[in-house]
Amino acid sequence: MTIRRLLPLMAAILVLSVSTGVEARPAKNRVSQSKPKVSQPVQPKWKVFTPPDKRFTVLMPGIPKTETQIQKTQMGEIQLQIFVAQPPKQDVAYLVTYNDFPDSYGQMVTPQEIFNNAQNMALRTTQSYLVKQRNIRSSNGHPGREIEYINPGGKITKNRMYFAEGRLYQVMVMTTKKQEKTLNKTMTGYLNSFQVILRN
């Protein structure tokens, strides 16, 4: 349900990251005596990010871009909050999304049913196949699920979902197989850094 509106945004991020290559220029005839400069990849500065409502914290590579979308559902309009960060010159995107469910819906279904619906929607709309899944819990005991899936283009998504106080959080990393090998520790650290903050 919430995934469908998010997918075009995630796809656009990855398409843009792939297209940011170096422009080819014709070689000059002059011979330079100085040693060529080797450009170093820009390392992002990771900082703790807290949204305006202070309901979670997570390490992000810089200040994420924020977007709000309204999703019409059978339960009425649901507001989806999206936070996206993408380091320069890396084919990877770090995302946190959340949406609040009406109290009546949260009482009618279990967290596992919510995770099942979100997982099935993600796999169906991206035409991905599931690599693995496992049940998890947040640091303060809220139920969660971790899934990993790959789409036909070879993009890998690692997604940790948590259901806490009527809200579904999704903490995601999207990247390529090549980048996944080099960024595996960074991606795991990002996912592990997410913390749900309980309301007083």
Side-chain angles (χ1 to χ4, degrees):
M1 178 177 54
T2 60
I3 300 291
R4 182 169 296 172
R5 290 291 297 276
L6 178 60
L7 290 173
L9 174 65
M10 294 191 294
I13 292 166
L14 292 175
V15 168
L16 286 172
S17 65
V18 172
S19 65
T20 55
V22 179
E23 183 182 351
R25 295 184 180 180
K28 295 182 179 179
N29 292 331
R30 290 185 302 173
V31 177
S32 175
Q33 298 298 326
S34 61
K35 292 182 179 179
K37 293 182 180 179
V38 178
S39 61
Q40 296 295 325
V42 178
Q43 296 299 326
K45 293 182 180 179
W46 287 79
K47 298 179 181 179
V48 175
F49 171 74
T50 306
D53 70 356
K54 304 187 185 304
R55 296 274 300 277
F56 72 84
T57 62
V58 67
L59 282 173
M60 280 279 199
I63 300 173
K65 295 180 180 178
T66 304
E67 183 174 334
T68 302
Q69 295 181 356
I70 302 298
Q71 175 72 45
K72 292 185 178 180
T73 72
Q74 294 177 346
M75 298 173 289
E77 289 188 345
I78 289 181
Q79 186 169 279
L80 177 65
Q81 297 289 339
I82 307 168
F83 305 92
V84 183
Q86 183 186 19
K89 299 182 180 180
Q90 291 184 16
D91 195 5
V92 60
Y94 300 89
L95 304 95
V96 176
T97 73
Y98 71 77
N99 64 276
D100 293 306
F101 291 109
D103 291 339
S104 57
Y105 181 78
Q107 294 169 1
M108 289 168 48
V109 296
T110 66
Q112 292 304 318
E113 288 175 303
I114 291 174
F115 299 149
N116 288 342
N117 290 338
Q119 177 176 318
N120 292 338
M121 181 65 74
L123 296 177
R124 186 167 64 248
T125 55
T126 60
Q127 299 180 344
S128 299
Y129 66 89
L130 185 67
V131 177
K132 57 186 174 183
Q133 76 172 58
R134 66 186 178 105
N135 291 328
I136 57 176
R137 286 200 170 268
S138 68
S139 59
N140 43 20
H142 290 289
R145 179 181 296 179
E146 179 180 77
I147 61 175
E148 181 177 328
Y149 51 92
I150 300 177
N151 73 9
K155 301 292 185 184
I156 300 171
T157 299
K158 295 186 178 185
N159 182 353
R160 288 186 184 177
M161 298 178 277
Y162 301 97
F163 186 70
E165 299 180 323
R167 176 177 286 185
L168 174 64
Y169 296 94
Q170 298 191 64
V171 189
M172 293 175 274
V173 185
M174 298 182 65
T175 189
T176 62
K177 289 182 180 180
K178 182 178 179 180
Q179 285 277 279
E180 195 267 342
K181 291 178 182 178
T182 59
L183 294 174
N184 189 47
K185 288 184 178 179
T186 301
M187 292 163 60
T188 300
Y190 162 73
L191 293 171
N192 289 341
S193 74
F194 182 82
Q195 301 287 325
V196 176
I197 307 299
L198 300 178
R199 287 180 290 191
N200 294 329

